[in-house]
Amino acid sequence: MNNLPTKILIAGTTLNFWVDEDEMVDRLKETFPSRIVYRPHPRRTGGFRPERAPLDELTRQLREATVVIASFSTVLVEAALLGIPSCVVSFGRSFGDPAGLSAHTEYEHMAEVLAWPGVYVCRSYPALIDRIQYVLDGRVSEHVRKA
C-alpha cells in the first residue's frame, strides 16, 4: 500500500506577482478534484504575522503534499529541503513584466533553485498537468522524495 501523501499544495505569491493565480487554482481544482490545498501568500491574507502557527501550518501542509505548485515562491525551497517535488508555473501573466512569468526563470537568484532535482519548470498548462500526474503516479526518483 502506498503511504505517500496525496495532496497538491499550491503556494500563492505576493500581490499581483502571479496575475493568473486565482484562475490557475480554479483550473487545477477542476482537474484534480479534492486533492488541491491552496495556501495564499500572507500578503494576500492580511500580511505576515509573528506567531508560530502559520509556520506550523505550512510544515503540516508540506508534509501532506505529494507535489507543490508555485510560481517562484520561497515554498519551493522549503519543499526541496523536505524532498517534495515542485512544479514551477513559468507561464501566464506577471505584474510589471511583459514577458510574463517565464522571465523569472532568467533571474540569477533562481537559477540554482530551478536546477535542483525534483524542481520542474512548467512552461504551459498541459506541461504542468503532465508533470503533476508524473509525480502523482510515483515516477519521481527516490533521491527526490527523501522526506
Side-chain angles (χ1 to χ4, degrees):
M1 184 171 166
N2 183 352
N3 291 326
L4 290 177
T6 60
K7 296 294 181 185
I8 300 166
L9 175 61
I10 303 173
T13 61
T14 59
L15 295 172
N16 295 321
F17 176 71
W18 182 8
V19 175
D20 303 326
E21 180 176 320
D22 294 335
E23 176 188 339
M24 186 64 57
V25 171
D26 289 343
R27 288 178 74 186
L28 288 169
K29 283 180 178 179
E30 289 176 14
T31 306
F32 299 100
S34 75
R35 293 188 113 164
I36 300 295
V37 175
Y38 174 51
R39 179 182 179 79
H41 190 278
R43 287 191 180 144
R44 290 188 80 181
T45 59
F48 291 97
R49 299 180 307 256
E51 64 266 12
R52 178 142 178 91
L55 294 176
D56 291 341
E57 179 184 8
L58 174 59
T59 300
R60 180 187 54 75
Q61 289 172 332
L62 283 167
R63 296 253 182 235
E64 293 174 355
T66 302
V67 61
V68 171
I69 312 302
S71 184
F72 307 100
S73 167
T74 56
V75 176
L76 296 171
V77 175
E78 294 152 340
L81 291 171
L82 292 171
I84 301 167
S86 296
C87 295
V88 182
V89 177
S90 179
F91 59 92
R93 297 177 299 141
S94 178
F95 179 74
D97 197 326
L101 290 172
S102 64
H104 299 278
T105 62
E106 306 302 320
Y107 292 175
E108 186 177 339
H109 69 281
M110 286 305 300
E112 186 175 342
V113 174
L114 298 178
W116 290 345
V119 176
Y120 305 106
V121 177
C122 300
R123 300 184 189 282
S124 68
Y125 187 74
L128 175 64
I129 297 305
D130 181 64
R131 190 49 52 173
I132 292 170
Q133 196 60 57
Y134 176 87
V135 174
L136 292 176
D137 289 347
R139 294 185 278 161
V140 176
S141 67
E142 285 300 313
H143 75 278
V144 172
R145 181 167 268 295
K146 61 182 179 240

